[in-house]
Amino acid sequence: MKKPCIEADLVPTLIPLLESRDQEMLLHAGRAIGRICYDNHDLQEELVKVGVIPSLVRILTDYAESEPLVHVALLALYNLADLDTAKEALSETKVAEQLVRQLRRAENHERLEIVFEVLQALAENDALKVQLVEAGVPEVLSELLLRLQGSSQAEDTCIVKAASDLIVSLLLGDGNCLRMVQLGVIHQLLDLLEKHVQSGDTSVQHAALSALQNLAIPVVSKVQMLEEGVAERIETLLRSESPPVQFKLLGTLRMLADGQADAAEVLGQDPMLLHRLVQWCNENDHTGLQGEANRLLASILHHNRSQEVVKAIQEAQGVRHLVSMTSSDDAATQNEALSALAVASAIDLGDLRREIEEDKIKETLEKLCSHSNANVVKEAVTTLQVLRGETPH
């Protein structure tokens, strides 16, 4: 029946009815438009062009307590939200405030899921992303995570995953990250991970881990996370036997240590962590995990540069893995290894010389001096100069 309705120009006739004050009329007009336009891209674009977006937001605003009308408006937004033109139109309305209102009052999973779907689509637009944060979406996500973290119901797990995914989408700029950290979102994500690492729900684990990794990037949130003991909690979680989870946790630790000498020192003087890292450096069955363990070792040395950390990594037999990293196919990985070796050589040359000679690092470095990547050449030359007792220039 859709085709004859479209051909008869029924949709343009129905649009003005969305301005009606009669709730029955609104409900039936909204349902009819939704059904006729479902899965029809051209018609949906036409709807946006003739101004359906402000009408839908008005329904959400004026009839926020009417379940049937809210459902119709949300369903329509869900079908239109992927269109760039719809996002543009929505950015000129107060839709963010209304979606927060509906998130707070949602009493069933179906309603929560449709609001999350709309939010996820809108978060792809930078202007809307800012509006969603300002309207209080992070606070509602924090409340939701807190409320659902003890639940093992499948529906609650879906909502937790959706909330974690949305956190990743909303992380625009350092201010948003810090706001999330200050709301306690980090510890809620870690609580979730502790629970789901035991139950083995990988979808929630990966969503929460992605959110954690993104939160650990800006310097302002790194500092706060370190002060709140996040590094120690991540280390506890490393007991998980899942290589993909271990991989992401190591990546988060590496981001926390990036530029943070104190964090690198704490990690670099934890014998248990160093022992595990060296074990993972030998993990040939999981190359991603192996690579991340190597990179974290190099990062700890590069960002701390203390004699105690060099000695601890030596005692854990980590230096030979840094040497192996220099022959990686990836220039960035080679750079990280060379930089760490240069630091270690400058600080603790006496103990290291024997190890470096055994691993034939000089021959490797001399080869790298003719590498195609200029940064690799620079780091190789610097490390060689340090090993020969020359002053790097």
Side-chain angles (χ1 to χ4, degrees):
M1 285 303 293
K2 276 186 188 184
K3 201 159 177 271
C5 289
I6 293 164
E7 286 167 356
D9 277 346
L10 184 57
V11 176
T13 313
L14 289 169
I15 296 284
L17 301 180
L18 291 179
E19 295 304 311
S20 169
R21 290 284 158 190
D22 179 334
Q23 291 191 36
E24 278 295 294
M25 180 73 82
L26 272 178
L27 185 62
H28 294 304
R31 279 180 178 163
I33 291 168
R35 285 174 187 169
I36 295 167
C37 298
Y38 176 73
D39 215 16
N40 185 319
H41 183 270
D42 293 341
L43 255 184
Q44 288 172 349
E45 287 283 10
E46 194 59 37
L47 277 177
V48 175
K49 202 182 286 181
V50 297
V52 78
I53 294 292
S55 300
L56 294 173
V57 177
R58 184 187 69 80
I59 292 171
L60 276 182
T61 308
D62 294 352
Y63 304 102
E65 307 298 318
S66 164
E67 290 306 314
L69 280 175
V70 166
H71 182 71
V72 163
L74 285 173
L75 212 52
L77 286 175
Y78 166 70
N79 285 320
L80 297 171
D82 282 331
L83 305 177
D84 289 338
T85 49
K87 291 188 182 90
E88 288 298 317
L90 282 163
S91 68
E92 291 166 20
T93 70
K94 300 262 193 236
V95 72
E97 291 169 22
Q98 297 312 319
L99 290 172
V100 166
R101 190 176 177 186
Q102 292 305 326
L103 258 189
R104 286 193 191 282
R105 63 184 295 277
E107 287 178 3
N108 59 59
H109 291 96
E110 188 189 2
R111 174 59 51 82
L112 276 172
E113 277 175 28
I114 194 167
V115 177
F116 269 120
E117 291 278 2
V118 174
L119 287 168
Q120 191 68 52
L122 301 193
E124 292 168 9
N125 176 285
D126 285 348
L128 281 166
K129 199 178 295 197
V130 172
Q131 290 173 25
L132 293 174
V133 171
E134 286 173 355
V137 172
E139 284 80 355
V140 185
L141 294 179
S142 175
E143 290 161 21
L144 263 174
L145 288 174
L146 200 57
R147 194 172 87 220
L148 300 178
Q149 70 186 26
S151 170
S152 50
Q153 285 185 32
E155 298 99 321
D156 289 341
T157 301
C158 286
I159 299 302
V160 164
K161 182 188 178 305
S164 303
D165 288 339
L166 188 54
I167 287 169
V168 175
S169 301
L170 290 176
L171 296 178
L172 173 80
D174 294 1
N176 287 359
C177 282
L178 188 58
R179 182 171 180 171
M180 297 268 196
V181 174
Q182 287 168 340
L183 283 168
V185 166
I186 292 280
H187 288 288
Q188 288 155 16
L189 290 169
L190 287 164
D191 290 342
L192 279 171
L193 276 171
E194 280 168 6
K195 178 178 173 292
H196 289 283
V197 157
Q198 288 158 4
S199 70
D201 192 311
T202 53
S203 64
V204 172
Q205 286 173 21
H206 290 303
L209 284 163
S210 295
L212 262 183
Q213 275 194 317
N214 282 277
L215 285 165
I217 295 169
V219 174
V220 281
S221 55
K222 272 189 226 287
V223 173
Q224 177 113 15
M225 285 167 81
L226 291 165
E227 283 172 2
E228 291 183 15
V230 169
E232 290 82 348
R233 288 196 66 186
I234 289 174
E235 284 189 54
T236 308
L237 276 166
L238 281 169
R239 68 179 184 271
S240 158
E241 291 306 311
S242 160
V245 169
Q246 292 165 336
F247 168 75
K248 284 202 171 177
L249 287 170
L250 290 182
T252 307
L253 283 178
R254 184 167 55 79
M255 283 170 194
L256 281 176
D258 185 21
Q260 302 297 313
D262 292 348
E265 185 165 12
V266 170
L267 299 174
Q269 292 193 56
D270 181 334
M272 187 67 79
L273 174 67
L274 292 178
H275 174 68
R276 301 276 321 260
L277 284 180
V278 169
Q279 278 184 322
W280 286 319
C281 286
N282 292 314
E283 188 64 76
N284 295 324
D285 292 340
H286 300 284
T287 50
L289 178 59
Q290 183 186 47
E292 199 56 77
N294 276 312
R295 292 187 73 191
L296 180 53
L297 262 185
S299 181
I300 289 169
L301 258 180
H302 177 72
H303 293 291
N304 183 262
R305 302 170 180 244
S306 77
Q307 198 153 3
E308 292 75 22
V309 168
V310 174
K311 281 211 166 104
I313 288 175
Q314 246 187 300
E315 282 164 16
Q317 298 182 326
V319 174
R320 63 192 175 89
H321 294 294
L322 294 175
V323 173
S324 302
M325 271 176 84
T326 60
S327 53
S328 163
D329 294 334
D330 177 52
T333 302
Q334 286 179 315
N335 263 340
E336 289 167 17
L338 289 166
S339 173
L341 283 168
V343 168
S345 306
I347 288 169
D348 195 7
L349 201 54
D351 293 349
L352 275 179
R353 189 172 294 282
R354 181 176 45 81
E355 216 169 321
I356 280 167
E357 282 168 3
E358 282 172 12
D359 286 317
K360 299 188 170 54
I361 181 66
K362 279 189 180 172
E363 291 91 320
T364 307
L365 290 172
E366 281 158 4
K367 279 183 199 162
L368 290 174
C369 286
S370 54
H371 196 278
S372 58
N373 184 296
N375 286 329
V376 170
V377 172
K378 186 180 164 207
E379 291 290 354
V381 169
T382 304
T383 312
L384 263 177
Q385 287 172 335
V386 170
L387 286 173
R388 289 170 180 156
E390 301 166 11
T391 308
H393 40 259

